[in-house]
Structure formats: structure tokens, C-alpha cells
Amino acid sequence: MSTDLTAILYIAAGILFILALRGLSSPATSRQGNRYGIIGMALAIGATLLSEQFLASAGAGAWLLVLLGVGVGGAVGGRIAQKVAMTDMPQLVAAFHALVGLSAVLIAWSAFLAPTAYGIGEPGAIKAQAIVEMAIGVFVGAVTFSGSVIAFLKLSGKMSGAPILLPQRHLINIAMAVASVLLIVILCTGAQSPIFFLLLTLIAFVMGVTLIIPIGGGDMPVVVSMLNSYSGWAAAGIGFTLQNMALIITGALVGASGAILSYIMCKGMNRNFFEVILGGFGGDDAAAAASGQAEERPIKQGSAEDAAFIMANAGKVIIVPGYGMAVAQAQHALREMCDNLKAAGVEVKYAIHPVAGRMPGHMNVLLAEANVPYDEVFELEDINSEFSTADVAFVIGANDVTNPAAKTDKTSAIYGMPILDVENSGTVLFVKRGMSAGYAGVQNELFFRDNTMMLFGDAKKMCEEIVKSMD
């Protein structure tokens, strides 16, 4: 396949990736977006394997390794896709980001150790431009890998979600950043020893840990989005080293879209975008509130029968889903409950906070899986004003995103975060297993409001019992 045809196919793949991102921006078009992405990736891989450069240099052994890699990777990926639960999706995404980062590191090292194979010079005499590209790729890739591993451990519960604050961590990060720049300068000026490249790699691995480990669990949705952006930029950087247009286009799209999503998520949590990039948010204030101690204050507790009666006699009910719904896999039972309410003439809407769950779009995907009509699902800014006109706000497993402390308690780890104003509803029905604090480690003041009725129990079972009580 000629070089020109390969370039055309790469551009076509890039267009398909853009269409995929556009499709994935809405649950209504997400399936089509996935199809575009799959076709684009297949086209990019096929164009690479049939390119003139690959065919000229690849022997039987190379083909065997490529086919083995595609076969093993495809089988593992297919198995994971079949087995993974929606509650495990956030940590799975973090794990995949780690693999992208590690791939960038390995490719950078491959190019550094065998530059002649990439046409970027000789060992010890690599072109300065290629050194910069490799250094950026290995640095961002290593930060992405170790940072994603920490995010995976926190999201999966294998590490505490509370911030882990290192003494003088900001000075440590600044020192490592300066050292990394100095090492890149040294490499570019001719001292291309593997020792310097190894030091750069190790510093980046450590920096990924020091950037992410101080961040509390409540901020993990932003971290996932941020690491997604990092993985894209790492891939793009290595694309320049390999002179591979497909990798540059794909990496730039992932990096840019991840950065935009991070910005949107920061607005949703009232965080500073640049502090997020530097990993310096969610630490100091969150530490004071991370104990998660349940308070001993009077609450109003109800039953499924109480909830069924209140909602059946309501004119308007707004559903607020959260991570607890995902854990209980309650979306189908919830939809059945809402179908019964609509059949009884009750107006039903769903309110989605931008950081509900533990990854961007988590709740939208779950509701789409349960075939909830898209025109009933609203984002925070579109529905927040309607809570004051709602008879009932049915909160199912959402915690931090409904906590009034975000507006009143300046010492709170979530202070300033825009929340869903469920407390303005006539009655708040709050489905939760117990009185524990949210993922950010902050007790929810909503539990103790006069218009709140707590419904303790598994979210799925509670919805099923409410449906039975409506019959």
C-alpha cells in the first residue's frame, strides 16, 4: 500500500474518530458513535499493517507478534467487556488509561534504544527534536500510568478514598518538574545516556503518584477525566516520534476532548482547572472532613409503603440517581416504579449532576441501559430551578451532589460545588443503606431536614417494594 493511500486512510480514520466523539456526546447517539470508533480503529490498524513501511521491514516473526498481540488483546478486551459491571466501570477506565500510559513509555524506550529503526538517528546521536518528543511521551506516559494506578486503587476500594497528604508535596512536585526539564535539556545537548532517560522515567512515575494520591475520592470523576486527557497527549507525543499520523490524530483528539471534559467537570465541582491539572486540589480541606463519622441527630425514617403513598399522590416527582443506584443495579426497578407513577398521571423527570457516580456520564449510561426516555433526563443547570415546584425529590444513592453543606459550610471539602437543590422540594425521599457519609467523607445535612424521609435499604429492593405497594 502506497504512502499516500496510507495517509488518506489515516485521515479517514481520524474523521471517524471525530464522528465517534460527536456520537458519544449524547446517549441517543452513543451506539452509533461506538460503531464509528470501532470502524475507525479497524481502519487505522489495517492501514498500518498494510503500509509500505511495515511491509518492507516486517518479517514472518513480526507478523506473528502482531497477530498474537491483536488476538490476545482482543480476547482479553472482549472478555472484560462481557464481565464488567457498571459499578466497576470507573476503575476499569482508570486501568485502561494506565495501559495507554505504559504503552507510551515502552514505545519511547524502544525508540531511544533503537533509533535507527525509527529513522531518528543513531544510538547516542538522536536528533534533538526526536529526543524532545520521546521525553514528553515518556514523561506524560509515566505520570499517566502511575496516576491511573492510584486512581484505580482508590476507585476499587483497595486504597482509602481519603486524601493522603505528603509533607511539602507541592515543593516536591516542583522539584521533580524542574529536574525533569533539566534532564531533557541534558539529553538534547548530546549527553544521551540511558541513565538520564531512566531517571526521567522514574521521576515521572513518582510524580504520577504524588499528584494523584492527595486527591480525595469525591474528586475522582475529575481525576478520571484528567488522566484520560493525559493518556491522549502521551499517545500524540509518541506519534510524532513514530511519524504516525493516525496516532497523532487519535492522541490529540483524546487529549483535547479529555481536557474539555475536565474543564466541564471542574465547573460542575467548582474547582480550578489549573489546580486540577497540577493535582493540587481536594486535599487540604478534604482531609479535615474525611473521617466519614455518622452523626447522632434525629431523622425521619419511612417505609416503602410511605414512599408509594406520597409519590402516588404527588403531581411532580424528580428522580436523583447516584452511585448507590449503580451498586444495587436498581435502574430497571427504578424505571418500573416511574412507569407506574406516569401511568397514575404523575409527572416524572430525572436530574443528573455532572459528577454523579464515579466517572463522567455514569448515571446517563445506566438510565439509557434501562431504556429511560432521553427527554425525561435533565442536567443540573436545566432542572435545578424545578425542585421548588416538585412535590417529591426521590434521591436514590446520590449523596455529595445533594449535600446543602456545599453552599453553607466553608470548612467542608465540597464547599462551593454546585449541587442539586433537592431540599427545595416538598418532600425528599432519600434511599440509602445507612447514615454513612458520602464518598467525599462529608456528612449530608439533608438527612436531618424536616422535609426529608430516609428509606434505609438496598436501592433495588426498595424500588421493587414501592412498586408492590403501588399495586
Side-chain angles (χ1 to χ4, degrees):
M1 185 185 295
S2 68
T3 303
D4 290 342
L5 181 55
T6 301
I8 291 172
L9 291 177
Y10 281 159
I11 293 173
I15 293 172
L16 286 167
F17 292 146
I18 293 172
L19 292 174
L21 288 173
R22 181 182 179 185
L24 291 171
S25 65
S26 168
T29 58
S30 59
R31 291 182 183 272
Q32 186 63 53
N34 265 322
R35 294 190 189 100
Y36 284 137
I38 292 170
I39 295 170
M41 185 56 68
L43 188 62
I45 293 173
T48 301
L49 296 180
L50 297 177
S51 66
E52 185 178 346
Q53 181 182 5
F54 183 81
L55 292 175
S57 59
W63 273 101
L64 179 61
L65 287 174
V66 168
L67 293 176
L68 183 63
V70 171
V72 173
V76 172
R79 184 61 176 169
I80 290 174
Q82 291 177 337
K83 296 278 291 182
V84 66
M86 275 306 301
T87 48
D88 296 332
M89 195 62 71
Q91 52 261 44
L92 177 65
V93 171
F96 283 169
H97 290 163
L99 293 178
V100 175
L102 184 59
S103 297
V105 172
L106 295 176
I107 293 172
W109 266 98
S110 175
F112 184 83
L113 296 175
T116 53
Y118 297 88
I120 55 176
E122 301 292 331
I126 302 173
K127 298 175 183 177
Q129 177 182 338
I131 283 289
V132 173
E133 293 166 357
M134 286 187 292
I136 292 174
V138 78
F139 180 82
V140 179
V143 168
T144 303
F145 172 75
S146 55
S148 297
V149 169
I150 296 299
F152 169 83
L153 293 173
K154 288 200 172 194
L155 288 166
S156 62
K158 294 179 172 61
M159 176 184 286
S160 171
I164 300 174
L165 304 182
L166 304 174
Q168 303 298 322
R169 67 185 188 283
H170 296 304
L171 290 177
I172 293 172
N173 288 335
I174 291 172
M176 287 192 291
V178 171
S180 299
V181 172
L182 290 176
L183 285 170
I184 294 174
V185 171
I186 291 172
L187 288 166
C188 289
T189 55
Q192 296 179 1
S193 168
I195 298 297
F196 294 129
F197 205 64
L198 177 61
L199 284 174
L200 177 64
T201 306
L202 293 177
I203 288 174
F205 277 133
V206 174
M207 199 166 179
V209 175
T210 58
L211 284 173
I212 305 302
I213 206 168
I215 299 175
D219 293 322
M220 275 300 128
V222 185
V223 173
V224 171
S225 175
M226 178 182 67
L227 292 171
N228 176 52
S229 180
Y230 286 178
S231 68
W233 296 125
I238 293 302
F240 282 103
T241 301
L242 300 180
Q243 299 179 17
N244 187 293
M245 186 188 301
L247 201 53
I248 295 170
I249 293 173
T250 305
L253 285 172
V254 173
S257 60
I260 293 170
L261 181 58
S262 296
Y263 176 75
I264 294 172
M265 300 288 285
C266 286
K267 286 187 66 179
M269 298 184 72
N270 194 37
R271 300 298 190 189
N272 183 284
F273 180 68
F274 294 103
E275 288 182 359
V276 172
I277 293 175
L278 297 174
F281 71 102
D284 298 321
D285 293 336
S291 63
Q293 295 288 328
E295 294 186 35
E296 296 293 334
R297 290 162 60 185
I299 61 168
K300 187 187 299 181
Q301 184 175 348
S303 64
E305 291 78 11
D306 297 327
F309 177 81
I310 292 170
M311 286 192 289
N313 289 279
K316 181 177 182 178
V317 174
I318 298 180
I319 309 295
V320 181
Y323 188 68
M325 183 187 76
V327 171
Q329 289 290 288
Q331 61 270 27
H332 296 282
L334 176 66
R335 192 212 65 203
E336 183 181 358
M337 183 192 83
C338 292
D339 287 344
N340 286 3
L341 289 173
K342 287 187 288 184
V346 179
E347 181 185 2
V348 177
K349 292 185 176 182
Y350 296 79
I352 306 295
H353 193 281
V355 295
R358 294 188 184 175
M359 66 178 289
H362 201 173
M363 296 301 105
N364 301 77
V365 173
L366 287 172
L367 295 179
E369 180 187 317
N371 296 317
V372 171
Y374 301 131
D375 59 358
E376 294 179 4
V377 181
F378 298 87
E379 300 296 329
L380 178 146
E381 62 272 12
D382 298 321
I383 200 170
N384 230 10
S385 61
E386 295 192 33
F387 281 105
S388 59
T389 63
D391 298 295
V392 177
F394 186 83
V395 183
I396 177 168
N399 202 334
D400 295 327
V401 298
T402 64
N403 194 341
K407 296 186 293 184
T408 59
D409 185 1
K410 293 184 178 181
T411 65
S412 173
I414 61 172
Y415 179 72
M417 182 179 80
I419 64 165
L420 291 162
D421 296 327
V422 296
E423 74 272 17
N424 294 336
S425 305
T427 300
V428 178
L429 299 176
F430 208 117
V431 181
K432 204 172 183 296
R433 289 181 180 273
M435 289 291 292
S436 60
Y439 197 54
V442 182
Q443 184 64 271
N444 195 338
E445 288 295 316
L446 189 63
F447 298 165
F448 312 106
R449 295 291 176 94
D450 292 337
N451 63 333
T452 298
M453 178 180 289
M454 302 299 297
L455 305 173
F456 293 119
D458 177 82
K460 181 179 179 181
K461 291 181 179 178
M462 181 60 67
C463 288
E464 290 173 344
E465 290 173 8
I466 291 173
V467 170
K468 291 179 182 177
S469 300
M470 288 178 176
D471 294 338

